[in-house]
Amino acid sequence: MNMLKKEILTLINFLQDRDYSIRKLSQILFSKNIFKARSWQSLKEKISELPDENELLDKIKEILSDEYDRSLKFGKKAVCFFDIAFLTEENIQELEERLREEIEKNKETEYSIRFPYLIPKDILEDQSTDLFCVSEESQNNELTKFWVCGRKSFRKRKEFILGETPDEIQDYFLEFDVGLYDELVAIRQDFKQLVSYFTINRKDRIITLYSDATAITSQSDMDYLSEKFFSHILRIYPILSAARKKNIGNAIRALYEEDIGRVTSFSHYTDSGSVKDERLDRRSSKEDLRLEIYHVNGMEAIASQTEFHAIEKKWESAFETDLFEPTISLSYKSFLDGATRISACYIAEISDCACQEDLDTLTNKIFQFS
């Protein structure tokens, strides 16, 4: 296999590790007059079968490189804002200098050496659970971006019937008085590399965390991820202990009332205190929930006086493509504030952005609406 094919297969593995949608990648390839692929394995097989000198290989590599870059910068993010209005300009300069020192200290780590590419699985397993600040980008005089890498460990669970496994596995488990028709559970520890970043906005005096939400499947995971992320920055610059997370819950109602875009799911509190969820079904997946008759009638019945709980909303991409539909998901959550239980929303999930303008527009929208 020639070097170009190996580079393409490496990029495919990177996208696969980042839980990139093979369906979306297939659509992108087909839109560029290249073949479709039903699975990651079929894509790898198609690449391997192409002649080494085929002109499609360079085109495929360019597309895969673009999509990998897109997944790092604009892929699924857990976005959280911290107010740093108490910092002086000298404080911010000191913070950025501390971060640059941290980057220099980390330059020999595997994360830094390979950035922006991923660490191989066998090496990732040996890394600590620490986060590492690895790179800086000065976007303009008011905004600086710092990249942070780390890993997330999680368990993969698989259930199986002992009698359906190879003989050597059956022989091993039968020593533990397990029957052939018993159902067993195998749990394997796995790891994902997370590539996150945060920005320091001098003008608005805000630190915005863009936590890499790859392999994040729950609100509690997002909370933990953001808390660990900010704790890492706090360790570097302890003065930030006075920073407070911005409650963005008001954006839920504002997004619902904003005309542009389409709402795909929505929930609100009932008189009994429970939460009523509504979501577009598959047949209406390209419609706007706010225009559905059952939703309109329901909102009229409660005179729109209910407290909103959560929303998912989508917009057209500035990239002018049907393949991406920038999406925001927001939800209130109960927290204990001392002995008092409060309801707040601190994290927005932003996904399916095609370009920087998409991500910036949605991030600014949440910030302004809240």
Side-chain angles (χ1 to χ4, degrees):
M1 182 180 293
N2 69 7
M3 185 57 67
L4 181 54
K5 282 188 177 181
K6 289 181 179 178
E7 291 172 353
I8 290 173
L9 292 176
T10 297
L11 285 168
I12 291 174
N13 288 332
F14 284 161
L15 288 168
Q16 193 172 2
D17 283 344
R18 291 192 54 74
D19 295 340
Y20 195 95
S21 167
I22 183 60
R23 181 173 178 270
K24 184 183 292 293
L25 182 59
S26 178
Q27 291 173 330
I28 292 171
L29 289 170
F30 190 68
S31 71
K32 304 291 186 180
N33 299 316
I34 303 175
F35 47 70
K36 288 185 176 181
R38 292 182 176 274
S39 67
W40 291 108
Q41 185 58 38
S42 69
L43 176 57
K44 293 174 184 178
E45 290 172 356
K46 288 176 183 289
I47 298 298
S48 299
E49 292 167 0
L50 286 174
D52 288 349
E53 303 304 320
N54 194 301
E55 62 181 14
L56 279 181
L57 290 174
D58 287 315
K59 194 173 181 181
I60 291 170
K61 181 186 175 183
E62 181 181 356
I63 292 171
L64 294 177
S65 295
D66 288 346
E67 292 314 306
Y68 176 72
D69 187 62
R70 193 199 311 271
S71 76
L72 287 188
K73 295 178 179 177
F74 324 123
K76 184 179 174 186
K77 307 294 181 190
V79 180
C80 184
F81 304 97
F82 284 83
D83 185 347
I84 56 170
F86 62 92
L87 292 185
T88 64
E89 182 61 28
E90 290 74 21
N91 288 146
I92 294 178
Q93 290 177 2
E94 184 180 27
L95 167 59
E96 292 186 348
E97 187 56 38
R98 295 271 187 93
L99 290 166
R100 293 183 187 107
E101 291 172 0
E102 192 76 9
I103 291 170
E104 178 65 22
K105 186 177 74 174
N106 294 334
K107 69 179 183 179
E108 298 301 323
T109 64
E110 291 287 347
Y111 293 116
S112 293
I113 292 169
R114 298 174 187 271
F115 181 81
Y117 299 108
L118 303 184
I119 295 176
K121 284 280 190 180
D122 57 334
I123 298 177
L124 183 63
E125 289 183 7
D126 296 330
Q127 304 305 302
S128 72
T129 57
D130 295 335
L131 296 177
F132 297 87
C133 195
V134 298
S135 183
E136 174 194 2
E137 291 179 30
S138 295
Q139 297 186 299
N140 55 53
N141 292 332
E142 296 176 351
L143 196 70
T144 310
K145 177 190 292 186
F146 292 91
W147 289 88
V148 177
C149 291
R151 73 169 194 179
K152 179 182 184 294
S153 60
F154 58 96
R155 292 182 172 185
K156 282 191 173 180
R157 175 189 175 101
K158 184 176 178 61
E159 299 177 358
F160 62 95
I161 305 298
L162 183 59
E164 298 173 354
T165 64
D167 291 343
E168 58 269 23
I169 296 178
Q170 294 180 22
D171 293 341
Y172 175 80
F173 279 102
L174 287 174
E175 296 179 8
F176 299 92
D177 194 28
V178 178
L180 289 177
Y181 297 101
D182 287 345
E183 186 174 71
L184 305 183
V185 176
I187 297 177
R188 178 171 68 88
Q189 188 81 357
D190 202 355
F191 303 93
K192 288 279 188 185
Q193 181 175 339
L194 301 180
V195 186
S196 304
Y197 60 85
F198 65 96
T199 59
I200 301 174
N201 188 316
R202 279 181 158 82
K203 179 183 176 183
D204 295 328
R205 287 294 197 269
I206 289 289
I207 287 179
T208 305
L209 307 187
Y210 294 87
S211 301
D212 185 355
T214 299
I216 303 301
T217 57
S218 68
Q219 182 67 46
S220 59
D221 268 2
M222 283 196 181
D223 292 338
Y224 174 76
L225 189 66
S226 295
E227 288 169 7
K228 184 176 180 180
F229 194 176
F230 189 72
S231 295
H232 172 69
I233 306 171
L234 186 59
R235 178 187 62 78
I236 297 171
Y237 196 64
I239 292 176
L240 286 174
S241 60
R244 292 293 174 262
K245 282 188 289 188
K246 183 177 178 62
N247 185 352
I248 55 177
N250 288 338
I252 296 177
R253 180 177 288 273
L255 289 171
Y256 181 89
E257 294 175 349
E258 178 198 38
D259 290 335
I260 61 172
R262 62 189 191 88
V263 174
T264 52
S265 73
F266 167 78
S267 61
H268 63 86
Y269 294 99
T270 65
D271 291 340
S272 63
S274 62
V275 174
K276 180 181 179 182
D277 297 305
E278 298 179 22
R279 178 175 292 274
L280 285 171
D281 61 33
R282 290 175 181 262
R283 292 170 297 178
S284 305
S285 60
K286 292 296 182 181
E287 304 299 326
D288 189 332
L289 176 64
R290 295 172 295 182
L291 303 179
E292 297 293 307
I293 295 299
Y294 66 88
H295 177 78
V296 173
N297 292 340
M299 293 300 285
E300 287 178 352
I302 59 176
S304 299
Q305 296 302 308
T306 181
E307 290 294 325
F308 290 10
H309 174 261
I311 193 170
E312 179 185 86
K313 192 174 182 183
K314 300 176 181 287
W315 291 262
E316 293 182 358
S317 171
F319 204 61
E320 297 184 355
T321 173
D322 294 333
L323 298 174
F324 293 87
E325 196 172 16
T327 304
I328 289 176
S329 296
L330 288 172
S331 177
Y332 274 105
K333 183 181 177 182
S334 292
F335 297 88
L336 274 177
D337 184 10
T340 306
R341 182 165 292 280
I342 63 171
S343 186
C345 174
Y346 295 118
I347 297 175
E349 179 187 313
I350 298 181
S351 59
D352 212 26
C353 293
C355 57
Q356 187 69 52
E357 185 177 347
D358 286 345
L359 182 59
D360 289 345
T361 298
L362 267 57
T363 303
N364 292 334
K365 194 183 290 287
I366 297 167
F367 185 77
Q368 297 300 328
F369 281 170
S370 58

